[in-house]
Amino acid sequence: MAELILALDLPDKDKALRLLDELDGALVWCKVGMEMFTHYGPPLLAELASRKLKIFLDLKFYDIPHTVAQAVLQASLLGVDLLTVHCQGGQRMLEDCVAAREKAPKKIMLFGVTVLTSFASGEMPGISIQPKDFATSLAALANDCGLDGVVCSPQEVAQIKHEHPHLACLCPGVRPTWAGLGDQRRVATPGQAVSWGADYLVVGRPILQAKDHRDAFLRICEEMSRPL
Ligand code: C5P
């Protein structure tokens, strides 16, 4: 059964905590990305952990292998459950991250970002192949390097799952028919994403910008429970 992750992409911690109160009892996973982590740092993660939430820290690390591996080790000490690095960091960077993760006292899942779901065809600087082909080749690299999963568009999940059945797929770019696209491009509905094989859906604005947050969250859960 696929799991829904709420992206806490908000400028204000009090607002985020009020939202968590609204979703109390329904929410299992939340994502802290660069906006909130830059402002509030590790104490925010501790606060989320004290609420017994599972934490996806989405900082999409991308640097030389040593630097990223050390950052993975530090992140693994913060009590997070899932962490992202960019697959485009390449084989040595990914392998060093996996090795760093093995040293951590708490097991965290390491996922590789393939191609951002905001990229449409022809928009990736200097890359002429289609986003889907690039994403699937990066997923193969992630699999070979021993990562637990990849972040990809729902539109790429079926092929990635076909080629690497044990690689978990976490999908942004999820848009119910009743929500706006925003900056996302390679999108699908929650039902489509689950039907095509996604293990985790990460959703922000369709919930954050809804009038009734709990209703929007539960509607997405309901759409996920009856795939196409
Ligand atoms: O608001 P929205 O539902 O578009 O939020 C999607 C979330 O997924 C954002 O927090 C964004 O940072 C994240 N994400 C993404 N594309 C990726 C990886 C992560 O949109 N490839």
Side-chain angles (χ1 to χ4, degrees), residues 114-121 124 131-132 135 152-156 172-174 183-188:
T114 57
V115 176
L116 298 175
T117 42
S118 52
F119 278 126
S121 178
M124 290 179 294
K132 184 172 186 171
C152 62
S153 159
Q155 298 178 11
E156 288 128 28
V174 175
D183 55 357
Q184 297 285 10
R185 291 296 174 269
R186 302 193 329 284
V187 299

mmCIF file of all heavy atoms in Angstrom, residues 114-121 124 131-132 135 152-156 172-174 183-188:
data_model
loop_
_atom_site.group_PDB
_atom_site.id
_atom_site.type_symbol
_atom_site.label_atom_id
_atom_site.label_comp_id
_atom_site.label_asym_id
_atom_site.label_seq_id
_atom_site.Cartn_x
_atom_site.Cartn_y
_atom_site.Cartn_z
ATOM 1 N N THR A 114 16.087 11.565 -9.368
ATOM 2 C CA THR A 114 16.430 11.342 -10.778
ATOM 3 C C THR A 114 16.331 12.675 -11.523
ATOM 4 O O THR A 114 17.288 13.432 -11.561
ATOM 5 C CB THR A 114 15.518 10.260 -11.390
ATOM 6 O OG1 THR A 114 14.151 10.656 -11.236
ATOM 7 C CG2 THR A 114 15.772 8.903 -10.740
ATOM 8 N N VAL A 115 15.161 12.969 -12.096
ATOM 9 C CA VAL A 115 14.975 14.236 -12.814
ATOM 10 C C VAL A 115 13.811 14.968 -12.158
ATOM 11 O O VAL A 115 12.728 14.384 -11.994
ATOM 12 C CB VAL A 115 14.654 13.974 -14.302
ATOM 13 C CG1 VAL A 115 14.375 15.288 -15.028
ATOM 14 C CG2 VAL A 115 15.817 13.232 -14.966
ATOM 15 N N LEU A 116 14.026 16.209 -11.784
ATOM 16 C CA LEU A 116 12.976 16.972 -11.099
ATOM 17 C C LEU A 116 11.688 16.957 -11.918
ATOM 18 O O LEU A 116 11.719 17.086 -13.151
ATOM 19 C CB LEU A 116 13.431 18.420 -10.873
ATOM 20 C CG LEU A 116 14.673 18.598 -9.984
ATOM 21 C CD1 LEU A 116 15.095 20.068 -9.945
ATOM 22 C CD2 LEU A 116 14.418 18.076 -8.578
ATOM 23 N N THR A 117 10.572 16.828 -11.217
ATOM 24 C CA THR A 117 9.284 16.745 -11.919
ATOM 25 C C THR A 117 8.858 18.098 -12.506
ATOM 26 O O THR A 117 7.887 18.173 -13.251
ATOM 27 C CB THR A 117 8.192 16.211 -10.979
ATOM 28 O OG1 THR A 117 8.344 16.828 -9.693
ATOM 29 C CG2 THR A 117 8.294 14.722 -10.822
ATOM 30 N N SER A 118 9.596 19.144 -12.180
ATOM 31 C CA SER A 118 9.292 20.452 -12.771
ATOM 32 C C SER A 118 9.881 20.578 -14.182
ATOM 33 O O SER A 118 9.532 21.509 -14.915
ATOM 34 C CB SER A 118 9.842 21.568 -11.876
ATOM 35 O OG SER A 118 11.205 21.330 -11.592
ATOM 36 N N PHE A 119 10.767 19.657 -14.572
ATOM 37 C CA PHE A 119 11.349 19.713 -15.913
ATOM 38 C C PHE A 119 10.405 19.101 -16.947
ATOM 39 O O PHE A 119 9.996 17.943 -16.808
ATOM 40 C CB PHE A 119 12.668 18.941 -15.978
ATOM 41 C CG PHE A 119 13.866 19.707 -15.487
ATOM 42 C CD1 PHE A 119 14.676 19.181 -14.502
ATOM 43 C CD2 PHE A 119 14.181 20.944 -16.029
ATOM 44 C CE1 PHE A 119 15.791 19.886 -14.048
ATOM 45 C CE2 PHE A 119 15.288 21.659 -15.581
ATOM 46 C CZ PHE A 119 16.093 21.123 -14.593
ATOM 47 N N ALA A 120 10.106 19.874 -17.960
ATOM 48 C CA ALA A 120 9.417 19.322 -19.130
ATOM 49 C C ALA A 120 10.493 18.941 -20.141
ATOM 50 O O ALA A 120 11.672 19.294 -19.985
ATOM 51 C CB ALA A 120 8.471 20.357 -19.717
ATOM 52 N N SER A 121 10.074 18.246 -21.173
ATOM 53 C CA SER A 121 10.992 17.855 -22.224
ATOM 54 C C SER A 121 11.697 19.086 -22.808
ATOM 55 O O SER A 121 11.063 20.112 -23.061
ATOM 56 C CB SER A 121 10.165 17.145 -23.303
ATOM 57 O OG SER A 121 10.971 16.782 -24.344
ATOM 58 N N MET A 124 15.937 20.651 -19.624
ATOM 59 C CA MET A 124 17.099 20.336 -18.776
ATOM 60 C C MET A 124 18.343 20.919 -19.426
ATOM 61 O O MET A 124 18.684 20.555 -20.564
ATOM 62 C CB MET A 124 17.254 18.815 -18.629
ATOM 63 C CG MET A 124 16.175 18.179 -17.796
ATOM 64 S SD MET A 124 16.396 16.393 -17.668
ATOM 65 C CE MET A 124 16.127 15.864 -19.331
ATOM 66 N N PRO A 131 13.350 13.491 -20.559
ATOM 67 C CA PRO A 131 13.404 13.321 -19.097
ATOM 68 C C PRO A 131 13.154 11.872 -18.673
ATOM 69 O O PRO A 131 13.826 11.363 -17.776
ATOM 70 C CB PRO A 131 12.287 14.245 -18.594
ATOM 71 C CG PRO A 131 12.146 15.287 -19.642
ATOM 72 C CD PRO A 131 12.490 14.625 -20.949
ATOM 73 N N LYS A 132 12.232 11.205 -19.352
ATOM 74 C CA LYS A 132 11.907 9.831 -18.944
ATOM 75 C C LYS A 132 13.119 8.906 -19.139
ATOM 76 O O LYS A 132 13.422 8.074 -18.277
ATOM 77 C CB LYS A 132 10.716 9.329 -19.764
ATOM 78 C CG LYS A 132 10.256 7.952 -19.349
ATOM 79 C CD LYS A 132 8.967 7.561 -20.020
ATOM 80 C CE LYS A 132 8.490 6.226 -19.454
ATOM 81 N NZ LYS A 132 7.164 5.875 -19.888
ATOM 82 N N ALA A 135 15.730 9.806 -16.547
ATOM 83 C CA ALA A 135 15.311 9.341 -15.215
ATOM 84 C C ALA A 135 15.514 7.835 -15.077
ATOM 85 O O ALA A 135 15.991 7.356 -14.040
ATOM 86 C CB ALA A 135 13.851 9.718 -14.963
ATOM 87 N N CYS A 152 11.053 10.109 -8.523
ATOM 88 C CA CYS A 152 10.819 10.215 -9.964
ATOM 89 C C CYS A 152 9.386 10.661 -10.211
ATOM 90 O O CYS A 152 8.561 10.677 -9.297
ATOM 91 C CB CYS A 152 11.059 8.867 -10.643
ATOM 92 S SG CYS A 152 9.958 7.575 -10.065
ATOM 93 N N SER A 153 9.110 11.008 -11.446
ATOM 94 C CA SER A 153 7.736 11.366 -11.807
ATOM 95 C C SER A 153 6.881 10.093 -11.841
ATOM 96 O O SER A 153 7.377 9.023 -12.218
ATOM 97 C CB SER A 153 7.730 12.016 -13.193
ATOM 98 O OG SER A 153 6.441 11.937 -13.751
ATOM 99 N N PRO A 154 5.596 10.232 -11.500
ATOM 100 C CA PRO A 154 4.711 9.066 -11.644
ATOM 101 C C PRO A 154 4.752 8.516 -13.074
ATOM 102 O O PRO A 154 4.558 7.325 -13.292
ATOM 103 C CB PRO A 154 3.320 9.626 -11.329
ATOM 104 C CG PRO A 154 3.547 10.898 -10.595
ATOM 105 C CD PRO A 154 4.895 11.426 -11.006
ATOM 106 N N GLN A 155 5.047 9.389 -14.026
ATOM 107 C CA GLN A 155 5.061 8.959 -15.431
ATOM 108 C C GLN A 155 6.221 8.008 -15.739
ATOM 109 O O GLN A 155 6.250 7.378 -16.785
ATOM 110 C CB GLN A 155 5.139 10.179 -16.352
ATOM 111 C CG GLN A 155 3.947 11.104 -16.210
ATOM 112 C CD GLN A 155 4.047 12.333 -17.101
ATOM 113 O OE1 GLN A 155 4.900 12.411 -17.971
ATOM 114 N NE2 GLN A 155 3.166 13.297 -16.890
ATOM 115 N N GLU A 156 7.183 7.920 -14.819
ATOM 116 C CA GLU A 156 8.345 7.052 -15.048
ATOM 117 C C GLU A 156 8.320 5.786 -14.197
ATOM 118 O O GLU A 156 9.148 4.893 -14.376
ATOM 119 C CB GLU A 156 9.631 7.838 -14.741
ATOM 120 C CG GLU A 156 9.928 8.887 -15.789
ATOM 121 C CD GLU A 156 10.174 10.272 -15.222
ATOM 122 O OE1 GLU A 156 10.635 10.389 -14.070
ATOM 123 O OE2 GLU A 156 9.888 11.258 -15.926
ATOM 124 N N PRO A 172 6.887 12.893 -6.452
ATOM 125 C CA PRO A 172 6.270 14.216 -6.435
ATOM 126 C C PRO A 172 5.520 14.365 -7.769
ATOM 127 O O PRO A 172 5.371 13.391 -8.504
ATOM 128 C CB PRO A 172 7.449 15.165 -6.341
ATOM 129 C CG PRO A 172 8.672 14.354 -6.625
ATOM 130 C CD PRO A 172 8.279 12.943 -6.907
ATOM 131 N N GLY A 173 5.077 15.568 -8.048
ATOM 132 C CA GLY A 173 4.353 15.762 -9.309
ATOM 133 C C GLY A 173 2.991 15.091 -9.255
ATOM 134 O O GLY A 173 2.478 14.625 -10.267
ATOM 135 N N VAL A 174 2.414 15.049 -8.064
ATOM 136 C CA VAL A 174 1.089 14.434 -7.908
ATOM 137 C C VAL A 174 0.046 15.549 -7.879
ATOM 138 O O VAL A 174 0.148 16.472 -7.065
ATOM 139 C CB VAL A 174 1.026 13.600 -6.611
ATOM 140 C CG1 VAL A 174 -0.376 13.063 -6.387
ATOM 141 C CG2 VAL A 174 2.057 12.475 -6.668
ATOM 142 N N ASP A 183 4.240 24.797 -10.561
ATOM 143 C CA ASP A 183 5.434 24.664 -11.416
ATOM 144 C C ASP A 183 5.683 23.229 -11.862
ATOM 145 O O ASP A 183 6.661 22.960 -12.571
ATOM 146 C CB ASP A 183 6.672 25.210 -10.686
ATOM 147 C CG ASP A 183 6.889 24.562 -9.320
ATOM 148 O OD1 ASP A 183 6.046 23.728 -8.919
ATOM 149 O OD2 ASP A 183 7.882 24.893 -8.657
ATOM 150 N N GLN A 184 4.861 22.295 -11.434
ATOM 151 C CA GLN A 184 5.097 20.891 -11.800
ATOM 152 C C GLN A 184 4.714 20.655 -13.257
ATOM 153 O O GLN A 184 3.811 21.301 -13.787
ATOM 154 C CB GLN A 184 4.275 19.962 -10.885
ATOM 155 C CG GLN A 184 4.655 20.045 -9.411
ATOM 156 C CD GLN A 184 5.976 19.339 -9.104
ATOM 157 O OE1 GLN A 184 6.722 18.944 -9.994
ATOM 158 N NE2 GLN A 184 6.283 19.200 -7.819
ATOM 159 N N ARG A 185 5.432 19.728 -13.921
ATOM 160 C CA ARG A 185 5.157 19.457 -15.328
ATOM 161 C C ARG A 185 4.850 17.985 -15.601
ATOM 162 O O ARG A 185 3.904 17.661 -16.287
ATOM 163 C CB ARG A 185 6.358 19.882 -16.193
ATOM 164 C CG ARG A 185 6.550 21.398 -16.256
ATOM 165 C CD ARG A 185 5.385 22.126 -16.927
ATOM 166 N NE ARG A 185 5.515 23.573 -16.853
ATOM 167 C CZ ARG A 185 5.017 24.338 -15.878
ATOM 168 N NH1 ARG A 185 4.313 23.798 -14.887
ATOM 169 N NH2 ARG A 185 5.193 25.641 -15.887
ATOM 170 N N ARG A 186 5.695 17.062 -15.100
ATOM 171 C CA ARG A 186 5.475 15.641 -15.412
ATOM 172 C C ARG A 186 4.611 15.050 -14.299
ATOM 173 O O ARG A 186 5.093 14.404 -13.377
ATOM 174 C CB ARG A 186 6.826 14.917 -15.586
ATOM 175 C CG ARG A 186 7.660 15.575 -16.686
ATOM 176 C CD ARG A 186 8.864 14.819 -17.175
ATOM 177 N NE ARG A 186 9.546 13.969 -16.273
ATOM 178 C CZ ARG A 186 10.375 14.377 -15.294
ATOM 179 N NH1 ARG A 186 10.590 15.675 -15.103
ATOM 180 N NH2 ARG A 186 10.985 13.511 -14.531
ATOM 181 N N VAL A 187 3.311 15.283 -14.400
ATOM 182 C CA VAL A 187 2.393 15.019 -13.286
ATOM 183 C C VAL A 187 1.450 13.850 -13.557
ATOM 184 O O VAL A 187 1.338 13.368 -14.685
ATOM 185 C CB VAL A 187 1.534 16.277 -12.984
ATOM 186 C CG1 VAL A 187 2.396 17.460 -12.575
ATOM 187 C CG2 VAL A 187 0.661 16.635 -14.182
ATOM 188 N N ALA A 188 0.774 13.429 -12.491
ATOM 189 C CA ALA A 188 -0.289 12.428 -12.595
ATOM 190 C C ALA A 188 -1.193 12.582 -11.376
ATOM 191 O O ALA A 188 -0.810 13.237 -10.389
ATOM 192 C CB ALA A 188 0.306 11.023 -12.627
#
